[in-house]
């Protein structure tokens, strides 16, 4: 690969090289950009390491441009960032690091390029391209990262026990890169990873979830989860998911392994959507199966109520994992809670009211719920899978037909509380809510259609039975 011609293609490298020459400091393109260039992946973050002050270099680079280039300086870290259209340039002085065992915050000392590359996490991330006149465009690859890219291997530049113990987050990064790039983790590195897994406990939940979400957002996340599980990392931060693993047998009756089932559902959902939260719903849909598992000699294994219990577990898991406690959590919780409902609608004799209830409860998330349900079909018997999916198609069609007729997906009460209060001369009170609720129930049950005329008639009827009559002769009504 000719790195010099790549550098020549982009103005930014010329400017950085010029700035470095002006200051007389050695400068290199390093890390993820070099790796992604070799892998032909697009990359919008460029890291520059110089043997000197990254902040001074960044300022000098900004001077090279006629236009104003926004500069952020992080004095404590000795780094600076420039924003250039869609690129982010980060500048840092080469450093060597030493760590204390009780913290991942290193004490930083100025180092050489070699020392800087040594402290990086993986050989594929420890390459540099020179921007210096003497060897402009040359690849510096002291740990054979290029060859590991060809071999599709993740391994650490130094003893993996040292690398992981210095910064345990690197263990998650190993899995993340393996999952993103579809690489293997080298044997020794993987062994060190499972040996050091318990050290993850010094890493903040916020950093763990960033890596986990990156693993979830790859094309086929099951691979990353299998590595996390086999490397004993998953146990450290997601014990509920580990609990899903395993098969129990009684009287020759066994249930499926819910860990591998969940991973299959997750991969299936990934074929239908890139949405992180739908993927989380797949991860959590059966999370309460271990807690609700029972054996009954007549029917075998049951997991009654696992959808409700799973929905109740969702906020706790989100809170602990530092996932957002907002509408995204509510969305996942809703999908977990409702994930069995469309299956129940497969039977022919299902009433429209059951359809209306599901549309009402799922609202605009009904399409995602149907995706989750389709993904949940994981039988090895292809004929069965085909039949189930066809059944879901039928349910989807029925849902569309009912929605067209009754519009309950975004249910708005046809009569507002204010109107009810005005009509009967009521103050805000429980009875107003009761009347609204009964109207809604009547619509969902199909006793009346979802329109103001029928709703009004019905309201007058139920109000009468409650001893209420309309205030007809109010002076200004
Ligand atoms: P991506 O940007 O896709 O996350 P990246 O490799 O660029 O991948 P960054 O987190 O941007 O990852 O880090 C840039 C470079 O800094 C890495 O390529 C690696 O050389 C180094 N690096 C980052 N985090 C660590 C770490 N925890 N330990 C050692 N080196 C690291
Ligand atoms: Mg990066």
């Amino acid at each position: 690969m000719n790195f010099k011609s790549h550098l020549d293609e982009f103005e930014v490298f010329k400017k950085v090289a010029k700035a470095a020459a002006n200051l007389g400091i050695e400068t290199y393109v390093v890390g993820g950009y070099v790796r992604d260039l070799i892998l032909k992946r697009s990359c919008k973050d460029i890291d520059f390491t110089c043997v000197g002050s990254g902040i001074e270099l960044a300022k000098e680079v900004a001077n090279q441009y006629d236009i104003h280039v926004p500069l952020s300086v992080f004095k404590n870290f000795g780094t600076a960032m420039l924003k250039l259209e869609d690129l982010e340039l980060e500048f840092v002085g080469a450093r060597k690091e030493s760590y204390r065992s009780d913290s991942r915050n290193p004490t930083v000392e100025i180092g050489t390029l070699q020392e800087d590359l040594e402290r990086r996490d993986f050989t594929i991330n420890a390459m540099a391209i020179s921007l210096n006149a003497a060897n402009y465009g040359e690849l510096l690859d002291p740990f054979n990262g290029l060859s590991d890219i060809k071999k599709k291997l993740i391994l650490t530049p130094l003893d993996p026990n040292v690398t992981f113990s210095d910064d345990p987050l690197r263990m998650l990064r190993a899995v993340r890169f393996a999952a993103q790039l579809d690489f293997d983790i080298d044997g020794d590195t993987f062994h060190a990873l499972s040996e050091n897994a318990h050290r993850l406990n010094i890493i903040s939940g916020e950093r763990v979830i960033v890596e986990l979400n990156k693993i979830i957002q790859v094309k086929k996340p099951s691979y990353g989860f299998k590595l996390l599980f086999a490397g004993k990392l998953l146990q450290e931060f997601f014990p509920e998911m580990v609990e899903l693993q395993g098969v129990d047998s009684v009287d020759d009756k066994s249930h499926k392994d819910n860990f591998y089932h969940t991973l299959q559902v997750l991969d299936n959902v990934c074929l239908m959507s890139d949405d992180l939260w739908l993927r989380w719903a797949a991860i959590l849909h059966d999370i309460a199966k271990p807690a609700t598992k029972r054996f009954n000699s007549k029917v075998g294994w049951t997991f009654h109520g696992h959808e409700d219990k799973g929905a109740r577990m969702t906020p706790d898991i989100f809170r602990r994992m530092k996932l957002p406690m907002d509408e995204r959590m509510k969305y996942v919780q809703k999908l977990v809670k409702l994930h069995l409902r469309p299956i129940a609608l497969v039977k022919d004799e299902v009433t429209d009211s059951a359809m209306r209830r599901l549309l009402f409860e799922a609202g605009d998330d009904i399409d995602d719920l149907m995706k989750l349900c389709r993904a949940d079909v994981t039988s090895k018997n292809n004929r069965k899978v085909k039949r189930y999916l066809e059944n879901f198609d039928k349910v989807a069609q029925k849902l569309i037909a009912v929605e067209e007729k009754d519009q309950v997906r975004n249910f708005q009460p046809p009569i507002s509380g204010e109107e009810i209060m005005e009509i009967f001369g009521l103050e805000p009170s429980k009875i107003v809510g009761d009347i609204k609720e009964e109207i809604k129930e009547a619509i969902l049950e199909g006793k009346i259609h979802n329109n103001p005329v029928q709703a009004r008639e019905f309201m007058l009827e139920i109000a009468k039975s409650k001893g209420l009559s309309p205030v007809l002769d109010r002076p200004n009504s």
Side-chain angles (χ1 to χ4, degrees), residues 54-55 57-60 62 68-74 79-83 89 91:
I55 296 172
L57 177 59
K59 286 181 183 161
E60 182 61 20
H68 170 72
V69 184
L71 166 76
S72 331
V73 172
F74 307 96
T79 66
M81 201 176 78
L82 290 177
K83 268 204 189 302
L89 315 181
F91 297 86

Side-chain angles (χ1 to χ4, degrees), residues 31-32 35 45 47 104 119-121 125 167 170 173 176-177 214:
R35 177 198 70 222
D45 304 342
D47 292 316
R104 68 168 298 278
R119 74 175 180 92
R120 288 175 185 268
D121 46 9
N125 289 341
D167 177 3
R170 292 168 180 166
R173 286 173 60 93
R176 190 255 286 189
F177 285 117
K214 284 185 182 177

Side-chain angles (χ1 to χ4, degrees), residues 43-55:
C43 183
K44 296 287 172 204
D45 304 342
I46 314 179
D47 292 316
F48 297 94
T49 295
C50 64
V51 186
S53 160
I55 296 172

